[in-house]
Amino acid sequence: MFATFAPPPQLSGLVRMFWAFEHEVPGNTPYVYRSMADGCAELIFHYRNRFSPLSGTEGAGFSHLHAQTSRYSRFLTHGSFGIFGAYLYPTAVPLFFGHSASSVVNSMPDLQSIMGRDGIDLEERIITARFHHQRVAILSDYLLALLSRRKPANGAVQLAVQTILRANGMVNIKALAGSISLSTRQFERNFKAAAGFSPKLFTRIIRFHRALDAYGQYDGNLTGLAYECGYYDQSHFIHDFREFSGYLPREYFLGRPEGIEYRE
């Protein structure tokens, strides 16, 4: 079971959605989940069982911030599990936690390390809640309280991030910088602080995610999919897909990728 929940309007510019992923695994059977490179961050709470990292990252607590990442990671658990999370727009990280996004990319800090005692209390409330709507309310209230303590975000960079997301990464960086009256160098510096990655790397990851969304609809035309996702040729598409997922495209679309149940 994979379900999504809309954030309250006050958080809609920072939280893409809340989600829950539950899966029944027979007995104590090993289950491997693979997380892909992602330009967005997630707050994650394991309320039933938990995963241990197999590769690509460190840490294995019940709750953590899975920051923006340019690489894939693999995680192992035994038996059935339940996870609740908040999928955050990139610029949410500095607003909520007071860290530049670039300082936490490719990491998974536990909540206590970034929130102090509040992180421990929040983890306990989320994990012990009986229903997902309660978890949504608890986390929404907490994030709204955090937001009230922070300075407003850089509106120009937020607009740029949203523009890239809406265009599935198919944008001209120089033209985008000019549209918000910044030089390319200024834009890159501000963008990296707020969103974690350079605009170029961010757009590559977002194009990759456009390709991931084709799972279950792939018709075997790899060249057509590459062009549809904004790649100039098949070789660049294959390179990015393998770098960000660990799979060749045909392995992913025609095989049985790890942890794919949430897309089915």
Side-chain angles (χ1 to χ4, degrees):
M1 183 278 292
F2 182 76
T4 62
F5 312 90
Q10 308 97 303
L11 289 174
S12 61
L14 296 169
V15 179
R16 298 184 73 170
M17 63 181 175
F18 297 104
W19 56 267
F21 180 25
E22 297 178 350
H23 189 59
E24 297 300 319
V25 181
N28 201 35
T29 305
Y31 177 92
V32 176
Y33 178 79
R34 180 179 302 219
S35 68
M36 308 298 193
D38 201 331
C40 294
E42 294 184 284
L43 279 171
I44 294 178
F45 301 84
H46 297 268
Y47 59 84
R48 181 186 180 192
N49 212 338
R50 66 174 176 176
F51 284 75
S52 298
L54 285 175
S55 64
T57 190
E58 297 179 356
F62 281 101
S63 60
H64 53 266
L65 172 69
H66 194 153
Q68 297 97 310
T69 177
S70 58
R71 60 197 183 207
Y72 68 93
S73 299
R74 301 174 72 234
F75 303 88
L76 171 70
T77 193
H78 291 82
S80 303
F81 61 86
I83 313 170
F84 177 77
Y87 197 38
L88 308 177
Y89 287 113
T91 53
V93 171
L95 271 179
F96 287 142
F97 309 117
H99 300 279
S100 72
S102 59
S103 70
V104 293
V105 294
N106 292 319
S107 70
M108 289 177 54
D110 62 75
L111 294 195
Q112 183 178 5
S113 68
I114 57 173
M115 299 179 187
R117 180 66 201 182
D118 283 356
I120 300 175
D121 295 340
L122 180 63
E123 175 184 88
E124 182 176 352
R125 294 179 66 200
I126 294 291
I127 289 175
T128 59
R130 294 184 59 193
F131 304 106
H132 294 317
H133 73 269
Q134 294 173 327
R135 295 186 173 102
V136 169
I138 291 167
L139 190 50
S140 294
D141 288 345
Y142 183 77
L143 293 178
L144 285 169
L146 286 180
L147 194 59
S148 68
R149 307 172 199 166
R150 306 294 183 193
K151 296 180 180 179
N154 185 321
V157 171
Q158 278 192 310
L159 177 61
V161 167
Q162 292 295 334
T163 299
I164 292 170
L165 291 172
R166 284 194 298 269
N168 291 314
M170 290 179 275
V171 298
N172 181 293
I173 299 300
K174 186 174 181 179
L176 183 58
S179 71
I180 55 177
S181 302
L182 291 175
S183 69
T184 302
R185 182 172 295 181
Q186 288 175 316
F187 177 61
E188 289 182 351
R189 183 173 62 250
N190 293 341
F191 192 97
K192 190 171 183 178
F197 297 122
S198 69
K200 182 178 179 180
L201 178 54
F202 185 73
T203 56
R204 285 176 59 207
I205 294 172
I206 300 306
R207 285 199 302 270
F208 159 70
H209 271 262
R210 170 66 184 85
L212 286 181
D213 290 340
Y215 183 82
Q217 305 167 16
Y218 176 62
D219 61 3
N221 183 356
L222 193 62
T223 300
L225 179 59
Y227 288 149
E228 183 181 338
C229 296
Y231 292 91
Y232 294 112
D233 55 53
Q234 194 178 122
S235 63
H236 281 89
F237 174 53
I238 293 172
H239 175 273
D240 276 8
F241 203 96
R242 189 169 189 175
E243 178 180 346
F244 294 144
S245 74
Y247 291 112
L248 292 170
R250 293 190 188 279
E251 291 176 324
Y252 178 80
F253 291 114
L254 301 178
R256 182 68 181 175
E258 293 172 330
I260 199 62
E261 287 79 9
Y262 81 100
R263 288 187 177 269
E264 298 177 335

